[in-house]
Amino acid sequence: MADDHGAAVPAGQRRSNPGSFAAMGILIRGGDLVTARGLARADLLVEGERIAAVTAPGAMVGSPGVERVIDATGRLVIPGGVDVHTHMDMPAGDGLVSADDFDTGTRAAAWGGTTTIVDFAEQNPGDRVEDKLAEWHARAAGRAHVDYGFHMIIGEVNPASLGAMAGLVAGGITSFKLFTAYPGSLYLDDGDILRVMQEAARLGAVVMMHAENGIAIDVLAEQAVVGGHTEPVNHGLVRRPELEAEATARTIELASVAGAALYVVHVSCREALEVIRSARTRGARVAAETCPQYLFLSLEEHLARPGVEGASYVCSTPLRSRAEGHQESLWRGLATDDLTVVSTDHCPFCRSEKAMGLGDFRLVPNGIGGVEHRVALLYQGVVEGRISLPRWVEMASTAPARMFGLHPRKGSLTPGADADIVVFDPTATTTITSATHHSAADHSAYEGFTLRGGVETVISRGRVLVERGTWMESDPGGIYLRRGRSVLI
Ligand code: URP
Ligand code: ZN
Ligand code: ZN
């Protein structure tokens, strides 16, 4: 894989002569390195933007090449998190925009140990794909604190949008999101979906699917509102698990007909997971993600709260019933790799905007936040014995990097990779609250959650952004990442 500097990134090599560095470096010493492959006590040397060496503990101490030492004794040292599903500065109609832009959203990401995001540029009906991409580049350029890439949402299928896909792939946008939800805006019918899938297959790109049967959901939603059931909980009740499973199954078959690789986004329920598992078992080219909100939050405890409290939890796919066991199924799916990635779908809106849908749940802007807390939330899976340490790193960093053409530059701790490194304190305790979080949203979906472990130091391409809980960087130094092909599906 070539990086943006045109250099080949070597995988898996260890520098044989770690004593002879000309450039000044940062030494991260004494920590336990955790990667998707395992655990080892080792030191890491950073030179410029890259990891220069992984050495035996203490081998570099006192070396003249070392300018700065970060003591990671008793800490876990992991590759920076890769969140491949965010919506920074996302227009949501009627002048609404998601609460975090590329400045606040990537700053929040960095605080939480995520050093790469992949966001969504969005073509709506009537738009030129290339114009929308240029808009999203303008939103992000010079504002992002961590590195970023883009997926492209195709909201209208015509010769121009199909024709644009090749140029996007050449420019590093190697994944396209489609919707079976939201009739009247981003919804695509099966024929249009098939056309995009055929072109994606030809180009070697991934099709990402928002899989919910939007036509049926809109009927149920209309019936609910007419029947006086307008509270936010009805958002979850009408978006039934069967309708997520149906759209998942249908689009897996369409992808198979087209010969395309399919990645199902924000899987929320046991029924959809079962469809994915059985398709993977028979060899279908499908992979999927879930998000922290489906692992930690629920319809009964959160979406069913009255008024704006419940509206704050409106997102699609919706939060599911804990009593029905969806969370447990999703955790098992992560442990068995039927679910490969955990991303956030970070898309918070402020409470006054969420309140616009009081009286009709269909008008609540969809989306909740999480980019700052994904890495630490997922660590709870380790604490609770659901997943291993390497699996934690794999689903938060390595697998998303591999899935979306960023590995080994991102998601690894090998020499030559970008120096995106997180020092994580497994003994810390973190309490999440909007009073102290770094998102611009005025509430947190995880308000009051107390987590074991916490992000302590964050390095992004060699820049120390956070050191022992202090923000160190002034200028946004994140750059656009030209992505390659997926190596996972
Ligand atoms: O509710 C959500 N997920 N909002 C963001 C857009 C999407 O469908 O991912
Ligand atoms: Zn979606
Ligand atoms: Zn999304």
Side-chain angles (χ1 to χ4, degrees):
M1 172 184 156
D3 71 3
D4 280 353
H5 312 283
V9 176
Q13 79 182 42
R14 277 172 179 249
R15 186 146 174 173
S16 54
N17 182 11
S20 63
F21 292 101
M24 293 304 204
I26 302 172
L27 180 67
I28 302 165
R29 62 163 301 207
D32 289 316
L33 265 53
V34 187
T35 68
R37 280 186 287 186
L39 198 65
R41 179 142 313 158
D43 294 352
L44 267 182
L45 184 75
V46 172
E47 269 188 338
E49 298 188 349
R50 308 285 174 84
I51 293 174
V54 180
T55 71
M60 289 288 300
V61 174
S63 155
V66 174
E67 183 186 38
R68 183 170 179 177
V69 177
I70 293 175
D71 183 4
T73 307
R75 310 293 191 251
L76 306 175
V77 179
I78 62 175
V82 178
D83 188 344
V84 292
H85 190 152
T86 66
H87 300 275
M88 306 303 176
D89 209 357
M90 186 196 83
D94 297 329
L96 270 186
V97 182
S98 59
D100 278 312
D101 61 15
F102 280 85
D103 171 13
T104 63
T106 59
R107 188 188 293 258
W111 272 105
T114 287
T115 50
T116 302
I117 63 165
V118 187
D119 204 87
F120 289 85
E122 180 174 328
Q123 180 230 12
N124 277 273
D127 295 334
R128 270 185 85 239
V129 167
E130 296 90 336
D131 293 346
K132 301 315 283 189
L133 177 60
E135 257 181 46
W136 255 267
H137 272 299
R139 284 186 162 90
R143 299 176 66 77
H145 297 273
V146 301
D147 294 349
Y148 59 93
F150 293 119
H151 315 283
M152 175 56 78
I153 291 172
I154 301 287
E156 183 177 32
V157 179
N158 54 36
S161 59
L162 290 169
M165 288 171 63
L168 264 65
V169 169
I173 289 151
T174 51
S175 41
F176 297 88
K177 185 181 178 193
L178 312 179
F179 289 75
T180 60
Y182 308 134
S185 57
L186 293 171
Y187 170 85
L188 297 181
D189 69 22
D190 291 351
D192 281 343
I193 288 172
L194 186 66
R195 284 187 185 87
V196 176
M197 286 175 164
Q198 288 170 330
E199 183 62 358
R202 195 181 74 77
L203 297 169
V206 171
V207 174
M208 306 172 79
M209 190 60 62
H210 179 130
E212 292 184 289
N213 186 324
I215 301 282
I217 285 168
D218 277 10
V219 170
L220 297 180
E222 170 82 26
Q223 291 168 347
V225 171
V226 168
H229 305 293
T230 59
E231 279 284 309
V233 69
N234 294 286
H235 172 84
L237 296 175
V238 302
R239 304 182 91 87
R240 295 173 58 121
E242 299 94 310
L243 298 177
E244 186 180 335
E246 184 277 332
T248 303
R250 176 164 36 104
T251 53
I252 288 173
E253 297 306 338
L254 290 171
S256 149
V257 167
L262 185 71
Y263 176 90
V264 185
V265 295
H266 46 52
V267 172
S268 71
C269 64
R270 186 182 57 238
E271 290 83 348
L273 174 58
E274 283 308 326
V275 168
I276 291 159
R277 175 179 294 129
S278 86
R280 283 168 69 84
T281 303
R282 63 171 195 272
R285 286 180 73 199
V286 58
E289 67 174 20
T290 190
C291 311
Q293 53 268 39
Y294 308 115
L295 298 167
F296 292 95
L297 308 176
S298 74
L299 183 139
E300 304 92 315
E301 297 155 294
H302 301 94
L303 188 57
R305 292 179 186 175
V308 71
E309 299 301 327
S312 303
Y313 291 96
V314 166
C315 59
S316 296
T317 53
L319 301 187
R320 298 298 183 187
S321 160
R322 190 181 294 279
E324 287 173 10
H326 299 288
Q327 283 94 340
E328 288 303 315
S329 299
L330 297 176
W331 276 113
R332 272 198 300 279
L334 287 169
T336 57
D337 199 34
D338 292 307
L339 292 168
T340 309
V341 169
V342 180
S343 60
T344 58
D345 197 3
H346 181 85
C347 190
F349 292 91
C350 287
R351 281 164 70 89
S352 59
E353 296 162 338
K354 289 287 194 180
M356 288 160 49
L358 299 184
D360 184 343
F361 65 84
R362 294 175 298 180
L363 304 179
V364 180
N366 279 212
I368 62 179
V371 75
E372 186 170 348
H373 302 297
R374 182 185 64 117
V375 171
L377 280 165
L378 292 178
Y379 183 72
Q380 307 317 295
V382 177
V383 172
E384 292 163 13
R386 296 175 182 278
I387 51 169
S388 65
L389 278 170
R391 180 71 184 123
W392 168 52
V393 168
E394 185 173 43
M395 65 199 201
S397 178
T398 310
R402 287 165 59 80
M403 186 70 74
F404 290 102
L406 290 166
H407 193 266
R409 179 178 180 180
K410 303 294 187 187
S412 73
L413 292 179
T414 49
D418 280 357
D420 291 357
I421 301 162
V422 172
V423 180
F424 189 88
D425 180 0
T427 65
T429 302
T430 312
T431 300
I432 300 175
T433 159
S434 60
T436 54
H437 75 187
H438 301 87
S439 163
D442 58 2
H443 62 281
S444 168
Y446 304 96
E447 186 71 34
F449 272 50
T450 296
L451 307 182
R452 293 264 302 279
V455 170
E456 188 174 84
T457 294
V458 179
I459 301 177
S460 172
R461 242 183 330 97
R463 292 166 300 127
V464 181
L465 299 188
V466 179
E467 187 165 11
R468 291 193 179 255
T470 301
W471 184 260
M472 307 294 289
E473 184 85 355
S474 49
D475 296 330
I479 58 167
Y480 170 67
L481 298 167
R482 213 176 270 268
R483 294 182 293 115
R485 290 186 180 190
S486 174
V487 293
L488 277 191
I489 44 175

